[in-house]
Amino acid sequence: MDFFCKIKLNSIKCQSLATYVLNKLSVQKTVMKVLFFSLMLVLLTLGCHKNKSNITSNESFPNKVGDTWHYLVYDTTLVYNDTTAFSQYNLDVSIVADTTLPGGGTATVWKYQYPGHADTSFVIQSGDTIRFLYNANNLSLIRQYIIPFSVNSSWAYSYCDINKVKVIERTAIQVGQTNFLNSFHLFGSAGCPDGIFGVDEWFADNIGLVKSYYNPFGELIITKHIISWLLVSYSLK
């Protein structure tokens, strides 16, 4: 009798253990399902937020108060043409106001928020020409563009230019995780004879500048900065 009782008791224990294991596995599966659907919800939320932030403009060359761009910047420092430092930082560009220039005329005010400081420029659009100026008083030219962009068009890019920039192609370009289709690629050099720099820029219609590469190869200075901008996100009017 003792032998059969032990068998029965062991059978009950085994059944209890089996039930416990099955219940445990069922709970784990439920937890995994909850975690999976929670993760999917988070990813969908982030995706919707990302799509919401990247709003294109109604203008081929955005230039309205409220337009904003967020860039990742790579800055390589050269001393006597030897690389001495490398930095990476975020840059926020925004159009903050409309203003009246001395002597008449209007411009938009572009703000460049760097880590620790901010710069501004004034943008005048006259016909097919868009000019970026250092300040509203002496109207010193930083750079200018002729729109709409078209392949093989060219113009003087900056002050006292002896060369021109040219739209060399219209192509897709990958910037980070985003592929900008039909972007205009501007290439050339600009500046005075003792301050020549390379221009290498990509523009997308209704978005603006998506990538740039600035190389002061011909500037007669000891310390130079090679700077690259990569567009991360934007919200335009």
Side-chain angles (χ1 to χ4, degrees), residues 1-203:
M1 290 294 293
D2 291 342
F3 174 74
F4 289 107
C5 287
K6 289 180 179 179
I7 291 176
K8 188 174 182 179
L9 288 172
N10 287 335
S11 176
I12 293 171
K13 289 179 179 179
C14 288
Q15 290 176 2
S16 298
L17 179 60
T19 302
Y20 171 78
V21 171
L22 289 174
N23 289 336
K24 191 74 173 177
L25 290 174
S26 178
V27 171
Q28 289 178 344
K29 287 182 179 178
T30 302
V31 171
M32 291 300 293
K33 287 180 180 178
V34 172
L35 290 174
F36 174 77
F37 286 112
S38 298
L39 178 60
M40 291 300 296
L41 181 61
V42 170
L43 292 176
L44 287 172
T45 302
L46 290 175
C48 291
H49 177 72
K50 181 178 179 181
N51 291 334
K52 184 178 180 181
S53 66
N54 288 334
I55 303 172
T56 58
S57 172
N58 294 323
E59 300 180 343
S60 61
F61 195 105
N63 185 29
K64 289 183 178 180
V65 174
D67 289 344
T68 59
W69 299 263
H70 180 71
Y71 293 95
L72 177 63
V73 179
Y74 294 99
D75 185 341
T76 303
T77 304
L78 291 85
V79 178
Y80 292 110
N81 292 323
D82 291 328
T83 301
T84 59
F86 176 82
S87 63
Q88 174 184 321
Y89 53 87
N90 294 318
L91 168 65
D92 290 312
V93 180
S94 57
I95 304 179
V96 296
D98 291 313
T99 188
T100 301
L101 299 174
T106 60
T108 51
V109 182
W110 289 48
K111 179 181 178 182
Y112 304 83
Q113 185 62 57
Y114 295 90
H117 75 282
D119 288 333
T120 58
S121 63
F122 297 82
V123 177
I124 299 174
Q125 183 167 354
S126 177
D128 63 357
T129 304
I130 294 180
R131 304 172 68 212
F132 285 73
L133 311 173
Y134 279 111
N135 59 63
N137 293 319
N138 59 23
L139 305 182
S140 298
L141 182 65
I142 303 173
R143 61 186 183 277
Q144 63 182 354
Y145 302 97
I146 307 299
I147 60 169
F149 295 128
S150 61
V151 176
N152 292 324
S153 63
S154 62
W155 61 88
Y157 182 85
S158 187
Y159 57 91
C160 70
D161 275 348
I162 58 176
N163 297 303
K164 294 183 177 182
V165 296
K166 182 178 181 180
V167 181
I168 61 173
E169 61 180 343
R170 190 173 191 183
T171 184
I173 181 172
Q174 186 79 24
V175 181
Q177 299 299 315
T178 305
N179 188 26
F180 295 96
L181 301 175
N182 297 319
S183 296
F184 291 98
H185 184 188
L186 282 61
F187 184 81
S189 60
C192 298
D194 60 348
I196 297 176
F197 57 92
V199 178
D200 203 0
E201 299 177 342
W202 287 261
F203 282 85

